[in-house]
Amino acid sequence: MLIIIEGIVVCFILLLVCVVGLKDGPEKFAVFYEEDVKERVVELGYTTEKELKRKFTISGIALFVPMLILVPLMVYYINGASDFWSAFWQMTAIFMIGNLFDRLFIDEFWVGHTKAWFIPGTEDLKPYIPVKVMIGKWFSTVVLNPLIAAIVAGVMQLF
């Protein structure tokens, strides 16, 4: 049960980053879009490359620091994991919950079926998440997340 709650915490962090990022409109927060969309929002004068890089850095820190620090802290200090395998499967489960939320709710529903992420002047660039990119995201979810969990659990065993 704790792992599900911790997975929901990860989902909330992701949702919070997106909501805060979108507060001024998706055209100001094009950091998660493909390069062609980013180039277009700069061409249209919605934002600048410098601003996109700044928001990308802030968003990356807001997303990945919790993943690499908060998740292991929850697994080791709340759940009491003491060996590689228990830490590995718990972190994998938490990462999977967060990434399933990202793939299904954010990517598929929110970006794919609502107007919340729509940027005027980019209609010809839709879908914003092309099939090739979505396949890569699913690969990351299924393969890279367990790999990251294994690396973090392995490093934590050194301490």
Side-chain angles (χ1 to χ4, degrees), residues 68-150:
L68 297 176
I69 294 175
L70 180 63
V71 172
L73 286 174
M74 291 188 296
V75 166
Y76 283 97
Y77 296 105
I78 295 174
N79 302 0
S82 59
D83 61 277
F84 173 84
W85 288 108
S86 63
F88 166 73
W89 81 259
Q90 290 179 49
M91 283 189 275
T92 298
I94 294 166
F95 290 155
M96 286 293 179
I97 291 168
N99 276 271
L100 287 173
F101 175 78
D102 189 15
R103 296 294 78 75
L104 299 173
F105 176 74
I106 294 182
D107 291 346
E108 184 63 29
F109 174 72
W110 201 14
V111 175
H113 296 291
T114 73
K115 294 182 186 229
W117 292 81
F118 174 71
I119 301 172
T122 63
E123 297 84 354
D124 60 315
L125 302 176
K126 290 179 96 177
Y128 290 132
I129 306 173
V131 172
K132 182 179 173 182
V133 172
M134 189 57 79
I135 290 169
K137 287 181 167 211
W138 276 103
F139 175 80
S140 171
T141 296
V142 173
V143 175
L144 294 182
N145 282 317
L147 180 61
I148 291 168

